[in-house]
Amino acid sequence: MASTIVNMPLNVGTMKGLDCLSHGNHKPNTLTIRPMVSTCSSRRMFAVKASANDRHIKSVGKSIEESEADVVAGNAPEAPPVPPVPAAPAGTPVISPLDLSRRPRRNRRSPVFRSAFQETSLSPANFVYPLFIHEGEEDTPIGAMPGCYRLGWRHGLLEEVAKARDVGVNSIVLFPKVPDALKTPTGDEAYNDSGLVPRTIRLLKDKYPDLIIYTDVALDPYSSDGHDGIVREDGVIMNDETVHQLCKQAVSQARAGADVVSPSDMMDGRVGAIRSALDAEGFQHVSIMSYTAKYASSFYGPFREALDSNPRFGDKKTYQMNPANYREALIETRADESEGADILLVKPGLPYLDIIRLLRDNSSLPIAAYQVSGEYSMIKAGGALKMIDEEKVMLESLMCLRRAGADIILTYFALQAARSLCGEK
């Protein structure tokens, strides 16, 4: 064992950390410290060497020298025989091997190889858990979303968050079911500091201070018209007036303790306006996750049932993006980046993997993907009908979102997937 030479003054008393404790019948290891005279007048050197009894060497059969001599003399010990080449099934053609210098299957031939070269990872830390809340005491199942509930904000929600935290999911996003009597054309309940969302945020932060709480910034849960913005009498969604309301909503949520506000409305200029409003109120630390590329998709149906937020008339195509458009997502990306967004989100997820990759390749900001209610419900339905293996398809779909470039995934599977990743059933 080689010596270690340490330069330090020789005036050494008791050296902390070198005391060895005796455990059972084992003798403690000892270190021999031998002073050495240095050529430097101001310093001396000492060598720390392992003593002969610092390791118990158990002799079995021949010594190392004898074993090496045998090998040199050509008397190597016998090893297990080379395993035979497995036989091919009867009828397999006998051919000359293909002249291939590259065979990618070599790196896929066993679970250990596949694990070693896996490019994308998936963990509970990647998930944001969307949770529906309401004013009731009981948890109400959502018919179109098996396994999902409108949770009572004081009890059921806390229990669900506790379950998620137990398996490593520590980020949630809240969606409120607002009483119809509180809905108005201008959605004023959205910025009521005593409203359902601010109350819930304060309760969660009191119970779980380190929980990351995302909020939804949009008027549709609070609008009597069911749209994300204020509707003019001719049916036009008013942009700038809506942004004014969204700023007040975001500030109210930040005041309650939200960590990330998430404008999902798709109004022009709302990210910059919200950033200015938050900063003016002293909430520079609150992040903005912008729904940068939110498409006017048919995959949202179950969600709207969950919140009873279907538009009273028309559709959302004048503010949400056309599913046929690809380059338009870059326009939204550049606008949100310049206005101060901290995270860029694509919604829906799996049908829009190309858009996730587009944003990933064109922005250094974190990218989020929302695996929406329609995606969730289709996998659930396929599993219930035994057409697919629900758990495997669930995990594959989430891995695909990560592979496309998503850093975080908003998914109703968050708890179920995290349990699966942790080895729970």
Side-chain angles (χ1 to χ4, degrees):
M1 180 174 180
S3 301
T4 303
I5 306 300
V6 183
N7 286 318
M8 65 181 295
L10 186 58
N11 184 17
V12 180
T14 302
M15 296 188 67
K16 294 183 179 180
L18 296 183
D19 298 332
C20 298
L21 299 177
S22 177
H23 298 280
N25 296 323
H26 295 287
K27 293 181 180 180
N29 296 336
T30 59
L31 294 173
T32 302
I33 302 177
R34 297 182 179 178
M36 300 177 62
V37 179
S38 171
T39 56
C40 299
S41 58
S42 60
R43 288 190 177 186
R44 290 188 178 184
M45 302 174 67
F46 67 88
V48 181
K49 293 187 176 182
S51 64
N53 63 348
D54 73 334
R55 180 176 295 179
H56 302 287
I57 301 175
K58 188 175 182 180
S59 178
V60 179
K62 296 180 180 181
S63 67
I64 294 175
E65 291 78 5
E66 291 171 332
S67 297
E68 289 180 347
D70 284 347
V71 173
V72 172
N75 299 319
E78 290 188 8
V82 176
V85 176
T92 300
V94 178
I95 63 169
S96 298
L98 297 175
D99 184 16
L100 300 177
S101 61
R102 181 75 63 189
R103 289 181 180 265
R105 286 186 57 191
R106 286 194 284 259
N107 290 341
R108 301 197 290 263
R109 67 181 183 268
S110 75
V112 176
F113 268 94
R114 292 192 293 274
S115 178
F117 302 125
Q118 181 167 313
E119 301 173 17
T120 305
S121 63
L122 184 68
S123 83
N126 300 127
F127 302 148
V128 179
Y129 194 9
L131 295 172
F132 302 106
I133 54 175
H134 67 164
E135 297 284 5
E137 297 288 336
E138 297 181 355
D139 300 338
T140 305
I142 299 168
M145 300 179 67
C148 292
Y149 296 81
R150 292 177 185 167
L151 301 168
W153 72 280
R154 279 180 290 196
H155 304 293
L157 174 65
L158 293 179
E159 293 173 4
E160 194 71 7
V161 169
K163 293 175 187 175
R165 285 167 60 90
D166 283 345
V167 287
V169 178
N170 203 41
S171 299
I172 66 165
V173 57
L174 296 172
F175 293 102
K177 165 62 176 73
V178 177
D180 289 343
L182 295 178
K183 296 180 180 182
T184 62
T186 53
D188 297 340
E189 181 65 16
Y191 50 86
N192 177 6
D193 285 343
S194 297
L196 177 57
V197 170
R199 269 186 280 124
T200 301
I201 295 171
R202 294 197 296 269
L203 178 67
L204 287 170
K205 283 294 185 180
D206 182 65
K207 179 72 173 177
Y208 305 114
D210 64 335
L211 179 71
I212 304 301
I213 300 178
Y214 292 71
T215 58
D216 180 50
V217 179
L219 297 187
D220 52 327
Y222 310 90
S223 168
S224 52
D225 293 313
H227 277 282
D228 292 45
I230 299 172
V231 184
R232 207 167 60 188
E233 65 178 5
D234 60 355
V236 171
I237 310 300
M238 305 176 72
N239 191 92
D240 297 7
E241 293 80 1
T242 296
V243 170
H244 179 79
Q245 298 290 74
L246 299 177
C247 289
K248 292 191 285 185
Q249 181 183 16
V251 168
S252 176
Q253 294 170 349
R255 188 180 296 122
D259 299 286
V260 186
V261 297
S262 310
S264 63
D265 57 289
M266 292 299 289
M267 298 296 125
D268 295 336
R270 87 276 202 216
V271 171
I274 290 172
R275 183 73 272 163
S276 296
L278 291 172
D279 291 353
E281 294 292 329
F283 298 117
Q284 293 89 349
H285 62 284
V286 175
S287 302
I288 297 176
M289 179 176 72
S290 174
Y291 283 56
T292 297
K294 181 180 181 181
Y295 285 84
S297 172
S298 299
F299 283 88
Y300 304 149
F303 177 94
R304 290 173 181 167
E305 177 187 322
L307 294 187
D308 189 21
S309 61
N310 275 307
R312 187 171 57 84
F313 61 89
D315 53 42
K316 301 189 177 186
K317 293 181 179 179
T318 65
Y319 46 101
Q320 294 179 359
M321 289 175 56
N322 185 343
N325 289 2
Y326 176 81
R327 298 189 306 273
E328 186 182 6
L330 286 178
I331 298 174
E332 297 287 354
T333 297
R334 290 162 184 157
D336 287 352
E337 281 190 321
S338 67
E339 292 175 25
D342 300 286
I343 307 166
L344 308 178
L345 181 141
V346 177
K347 180 180 181 181
L350 209 59
Y352 293 82
L353 293 178
D354 58 331
I355 307 301
I356 297 171
R357 174 49 58 183
L358 178 68
L359 268 61
R360 172 74 292 145
D361 289 343
N362 287 276
S363 177
S364 58
L365 289 177
I367 305 299
Y370 198 144
Q371 187 181 48
V372 300
S373 57
E375 299 172 67
Y376 170 87
S377 295
M378 287 195 299
I379 294 174
K380 281 288 184 181
L385 294 172
K386 305 300 181 184
M387 293 179 174
I388 58 173
D389 184 314
E390 179 185 315
E391 181 169 342
K392 289 181 179 178
V393 172
M394 167 189 71
L395 293 175
E396 182 179 341
S397 68
L398 295 169
M399 184 68 78
C400 290
L401 294 168
R402 288 276 292 141
R403 187 197 66 232
D407 298 289
I408 59 173
I409 304 169
L410 284 68
T411 175
Y412 304 99
F413 282 121
L415 177 56
Q416 182 180 345
R419 284 174 168 169
S420 180
L421 292 171
C422 292
E424 297 184 14
K425 292 293 183 183

